[in-house]
Amino acid sequence: MAGSKVGSLGEYIREQRTRAKISLRQLADSSGISNPYLSQVERGLRKPSAEILQQIAKGLRISAEALYVQAGILEDREADTDVMASVRADAHLSERQKQVLLDIYASFLKENEAALKEDEAALGDEHTTRAP
């Protein structure tokens, strides 16, 4: 079971690297990890540490958290919306920019949820104040 998790991690890293249109050698240079080691990670032959995953994430310009979840280091949080997944996958944004966008998005969701609760409460009050 652990082997399949490592394999899926390697596949995920390869997929992210391909999406970013960078070679294995370029990722090795940008992350500071040797090319042979990265190749072994992608093929599922090595299980990288959290520190190595962080370096890979930096090289790929993706969230280290996403790699931690893939590696089984962190539990997957509630499912991302398409918006959240798109922001996290965008190679053109820095990690800081991604986090700011996700924070703003989350605040909009909370605001909408609060407004919905207020509307429901107002409807509930309206029904209880009417005489039968």
Side-chain angles (χ1 to χ4, degrees), residues 30-43:
S30 65
S31 64
I33 300 168
S34 76
N35 191 16
Y37 186 82
L38 273 176
S39 176
Q40 291 174 349
V41 169
E42 282 193 358
R43 290 181 288 143

Side-chain angles (χ1 to χ4, degrees), residues 75-90:
E75 282 188 34
D76 201 2
R77 59 180 184 270
E78 68 181 60
D80 279 353
T81 64
D82 288 342
V83 171
M84 295 166 85
S86 295
V87 168
R88 284 194 175 94
D90 193 324

